[in-house]
Amino acid sequence: MNKIRRIKSITEFHDLRRLPKPQHPLISVVNVEDVHHAPDEDPENLVLDYYSISLKRNFSGKFRYGQQEYDFDEGIMFFIAPGQVFRIEHDSARPINQSGWMLLIHPDFLWNTPLAKSIRQREYFDYSVNEALFLSRKEEVTITGIIRTIHQEYQNNIDQFSQNIIISHLDALLNYAERFYHRQFLTRKIANHRILDRLEKILEEYFTAEDLIRKGLPSVQEIAAQLNVSPNYLSGLLKVLTGQSTQQHIHEKLIEKAKEKLSTTDASVSEIAYNLGFEHPQSFSKFFKTKTNQSPLEFRQSFN
């Protein structure tokens, strides 16, 4: 088990990668071409105490997040929040011709601004690296323009307006990233619809199993793990393609199975509740009425 190296500050990162001292201790735009990695550097697990937003091309190695690995042969944008563990493995056999940029922001820079809270609500900061954002050339120009503006602003003499100006541009960058992720959900149709097909199969098998009362209802985390995607990515994908979150999708499938049993079998409401994983029939009845505006008995009687 490799040890985890914690990088506590942007200045520490600059020192580690042999970069000039940052012009601002809480925010920095780094040219990826200037980042130094020793040819014989051992793979390392890292955790940052700041946000990192990066666009990299021709990365000479592999980037691992959890159990997922991605080879940066193409331009790709990814987001890392403070406290997340990731791993970099460098390939000494490949020439180092990487390019791009990294935007590093310490949480203290966002203190006492609306973005301090809202940035953690951006789901893509919890996506796995294989769920990174592929930018079109036009999108890359848009994002790069914002980064350059941020860079120019903190290079200027810092005054009472600087932080608010940078925060507004950072907020715009995050909004564009969200828009581009939604675009990616739609344009990568084949891969995403395969996920939907597999999701339907997993839920169908789950709700037809005989031991639901032992297993209980499936969690979003369990479903995402079976699909090999992160929970937030799965919910983001489903919201764009179906208008529902993963939790809503699970509940929809559960209601569908409940209606099927109520309308085609003579099983009691209690038996159906247990078969669908509810320990208490009252909980099932309350859940059913919340979702359908009818009690299970009222729904059954409508078929008589």
Side-chain angles (χ1 to χ4, degrees), residues 124-140:
Y124 46 76
F125 273 102
D126 289 317
Y127 289 175
S128 296
V129 71
N130 65 312
E131 301 158 353
L133 179 58
F134 291 78
L135 295 176
S136 70
R137 183 65 62 183
K138 184 177 180 181
E139 290 168 347
E140 188 176 331

Side-chain angles (χ1 to χ4, degrees), residues 10-269:
I10 293 172
T11 299
E12 184 180 342
F13 174 82
H14 275 243
D15 291 341
L16 177 66
R17 296 307 177 203
R18 302 183 190 176
L19 295 164
K21 195 169 183 177
Q23 293 172 289
H24 192 294
L26 301 180
I27 186 167
S28 179
V29 174
V30 175
N31 187 332
V32 171
E33 295 177 22
D34 297 332
V35 175
H36 177 81
H37 295 280
D40 57 349
E41 188 172 299
D42 291 332
E44 55 186 343
N45 294 319
L46 299 173
V47 61
L48 312 177
D49 284 356
Y50 51 85
Y51 293 94
S52 174
I53 302 172
S54 303
L55 174 64
K56 294 186 178 180
R57 291 186 174 277
N58 301 316
F59 185 72
S60 58
K62 295 187 183 297
F63 187 101
R64 181 177 289 276
Y65 180 95
Q67 298 302 311
Q68 302 295 335
E69 188 177 86
Y70 195 85
D71 194 340
F72 285 88
D73 288 326
E74 299 294 335
I76 191 170
M77 191 175 182
F78 62 97
F79 305 79
I80 300 173
Q84 292 178 325
V85 179
F86 61 98
R87 179 179 176 85
I88 296 177
E89 299 176 8
H90 296 279
D91 186 354
S92 58
R94 294 180 59 183
I96 299 177
N97 60 348
Q98 59 187 335
S99 62
W101 49 260
M102 302 172 66
L103 171 61
L104 314 176
I105 312 108
H106 196 279
D108 287 354
F109 186 80
L110 309 177
W111 184 79
N112 209 26
T113 72
L115 198 57
K117 180 179 180 180
S118 66
I119 192 170
R120 287 313 304 258
Q121 295 171 347
R122 306 285 181 161
E123 293 183 342
Y124 46 76
F125 273 102
D126 289 317
Y127 289 175
S128 296
V129 71
N130 65 312
E131 301 158 353
L133 179 58
F134 291 78
L135 295 176
S136 70
R137 183 65 62 183
K138 184 177 180 181
E139 290 168 347
E140 188 176 331
V141 168
T142 298
I143 295 294
T144 302
I146 297 174
I147 291 296
R148 285 176 179 161
T149 301
I150 291 174
H151 189 208
Q152 290 168 359
E153 182 59 35
Y154 80 73
Q155 280 186 315
N156 295 334
N157 294 326
I158 299 297
D159 59 28
Q160 60 181 325
F161 302 103
S162 300
Q163 184 188 26
N164 288 339
I165 290 172
I166 292 172
I167 292 291
S168 66
H169 286 296
L170 178 57
D171 193 39
L173 185 150
L174 298 177
N175 286 333
Y176 274 114
E178 191 154 345
R179 168 190 275 182
F180 298 157
Y181 256 115
H182 280 224
R183 182 272 308 157
Q184 182 166 291
F185 289 142
L186 295 173
T187 55
R188 302 178 74 186
K189 288 183 180 178
I190 294 177
N192 290 335
H193 282 293
R194 282 176 183 162
I195 291 176
L196 282 180
D197 290 343
R198 287 169 56 208
L199 172 62
E200 289 300 317
K201 184 177 179 181
I202 287 171
L203 291 179
E204 181 65 29
E205 291 174 352
Y206 206 100
F207 285 118
T208 54
E210 298 296 326
D211 58 346
L212 263 180
I213 189 60
R214 178 182 64 82
K215 295 192 299 184
L217 296 177
S219 70
V220 173
Q221 288 73 19
E222 289 170 336
I223 297 296
Q226 291 187 58
L227 292 169
N228 294 318
V229 297
S230 62
N232 279 353
Y233 185 87
L234 179 58
S235 283
L237 169 66
L238 290 175
K239 284 176 187 175
V240 172
L241 297 183
T242 70
Q244 295 181 320
S245 67
T246 309
Q247 190 71 64
Q248 290 171 326
H249 212 77
I250 294 171
H251 288 171
E252 190 80 15
K253 194 70 176 181
L254 177 58
I255 290 295
E256 179 185 311
K257 284 295 175 184
K259 287 181 175 179
E260 180 184 314
K261 292 178 182 294
L262 287 166
S263 60
T264 62
T265 74
D266 293 326
S268 69
V269 171

